[in-house]
Amino acid sequence: MPLPRPSRLPRSAPERPGPAPRTLVMLAFEGARLLDITGPLEVFSSATRLGGRYAIQVCSPDGRTVTTASGTRLVVDAAVADIAAGPLDTVLVPGAEELTQGRFPPGLLDSVRTLAGRSRRVASVCAGAFALAGAGLLDGRRATTHWRHTATLAARHPTLTVDPDALYVRDGELFTSAGVSAGIDLALALVEADEGSDLAREVARDLVVFMQRPGGQSQFSVPARTPRPRHDVLRALLDAIAADPAADHSNTALATRAGVSPRHLTRLFREHTGTTPTGYVEAVRLEAAQSLLANGETVTAAARRTGIGSDESLRRLFLRRLGVTPSAYRSRFHTTTR
């Protein structure tokens, strides 16, 4: 008996090629901080694994293995000159302590200029901003860097407007960020711009990080970045403000508690904190509101529980200090807990 003929399988339609992946180049160099390199790369590699489209290359000015600041040796894919011809999407430049002292590894600035000239956008992590500025990319621009080095960056490059407290700053297609963890915030922001908030949120969940801190958010909490005052009365006031931001912390009330005149209190605050009593209280209340929103509180509850008052007052404060609305801030943070 003849064997039955196998049925003919339907011919599948030819697969249509998807959009070309975005070519992302990390420029490594001698003495670079390892986490400045690996932090953003983890974000982009996770995004690719979860459905994004990035083609990642790590290069060095001469193609040689580099030794990072931690002593870890990093094997690169290519020299800058050997990166395949054609336009690039993103160039990332990490930081190094030597850059803040005006010492640049051989070929670094030329490499930055070469890659930037081929790329749609350029981003730096931490002290990498010094390399962008040294290459002439930040003239007349806004930028940030690690809080320890913002004053140095501003003094060395007078045409540059330095934001001393932002996590990251965008000026056109140039991006600069603060310390190493801010490089992850910046990378998440770039993924969100490229692939949408859903994928960026999945990457944040995968890496167990916040999605994502707004660029204008402060690098440090108010108490952490305020030197502990030597004045006993002022120390007690700062502790009371932090413990209960919603209490009556008007100038008159604070001066009464301190046993000094409102005018003398303002002098003490300026001398020891660099701001006025009103400015300090506002900053503490803002951070308290951020924490409440990140933990799922409504805008109304956050405004009331921090002493800011109304939704509109909270909205104006967020826009002025962070550049986002309270609702947008809450959405970015609270979605990571769902």
Side-chain angles (χ1 to χ4, degrees):
M1 176 181 295
L3 295 174
R5 300 175 70 179
S7 59
R8 181 174 294 174
L9 295 175
R11 181 177 297 174
S12 59
E15 290 188 7
R16 295 181 179 179
R22 297 177 178 86
T23 303
L24 185 146
V25 175
M26 173 67 76
L27 176 58
F29 54 87
E30 284 292 310
R33 204 165 182 176
L34 182 62
L35 195 53
D36 286 5
I37 298 171
T38 58
L41 288 184
E42 283 292 339
V43 171
F44 289 106
S45 62
S46 179
T48 300
R49 184 170 51 80
L50 292 170
R53 297 182 66 85
Y54 293 100
I56 302 170
Q57 288 186 288
V58 180
C59 69
S60 66
D62 56 9
R64 296 180 182 176
T65 296
V66 300
T67 302
T68 63
S70 65
T72 303
R73 291 173 62 79
L74 187 66
V75 178
V76 303
D77 299 312
V80 169
D82 295 330
I83 296 293
L88 307 174
D89 184 81
T90 304
V91 171
L92 290 165
V93 181
E97 190 67 24
E98 289 75 10
L99 306 187
T100 69
Q101 300 159 11
R103 303 202 305 269
F104 300 100
L108 176 60
L109 297 186
D110 284 341
S111 295
V112 171
R113 295 186 191 102
T114 297
L115 293 173
R118 297 176 52 190
S119 182
R120 175 175 69 92
R121 66 187 176 195
V122 180
S124 67
V125 182
C126 197
F130 284 83
L132 300 194
L137 301 184
L138 296 181
D139 293 347
R141 303 273 194 164
R142 288 180 60 249
T144 193
T145 188
H146 191 287
W147 61 271
R148 289 185 186 277
H149 307 304
T150 52
T152 302
L153 183 63
R156 191 171 297 161
H157 301 278
T159 68
L160 175 58
T161 300
V162 179
D163 188 331
D165 200 33
L167 286 176
Y168 59 86
V169 168
R170 175 180 184 176
D171 189 327
E173 292 304 313
L174 287 169
F175 299 78
T176 51
S177 62
V180 289
S181 64
I184 294 175
D185 293 299
L186 174 57
L188 282 169
L190 297 179
V191 169
E192 183 176 26
D194 293 341
E195 302 282 355
S197 59
D198 287 345
L199 180 62
R201 190 175 299 116
E202 286 304 310
V203 173
R205 286 174 175 164
D206 185 50
L207 300 180
V208 198
V209 296
F210 281 126
M211 166 59 195
Q212 77 263 0
R213 293 183 291 175
Q217 183 171 320
S218 176
Q219 294 185 30
F220 280 102
S221 68
V222 176
R225 67 176 183 268
T226 303
R228 194 67 174 157
R230 297 183 300 276
H231 198 288
D232 291 340
V233 172
L234 190 57
R235 261 201 318 272
L237 288 181
L238 298 189
D239 290 340
I241 294 168
D244 186 7
D248 181 5
H249 298 309
S250 64
N251 280 19
T252 301
L254 291 173
T256 299
R257 269 181 270 165
V260 298
S261 69
R263 192 171 181 177
H264 183 57
L265 181 73
T266 298
R267 284 199 296 269
L268 284 176
F269 263 83
R270 285 199 178 280
E271 178 183 350
H272 292 275
T273 72
T275 187
T276 63
T278 300
Y280 188 87
V281 171
E282 181 184 81
V284 171
R285 285 175 171 168
L286 174 63
E287 285 189 350
Q290 290 174 256
S291 178
L292 289 170
L293 292 171
N295 285 286
E297 289 285 358
T298 65
V299 173
T300 300
R304 175 178 52 80
R305 291 181 58 186
T306 57
I308 292 172
S310 68
D311 293 18
E312 182 57 28
S313 295
L314 185 62
R315 181 177 181 277
R316 287 198 301 267
L317 179 58
F318 264 64
L319 287 172
R320 175 163 52 87
R321 298 290 290 268
L322 301 179
V324 296
T325 65
S327 298
Y329 185 94
R330 182 180 185 274
S331 175
R332 289 181 179 181
F333 274 81
H334 189 48
T335 49
T336 62
T337 65
R338 292 178 181 172

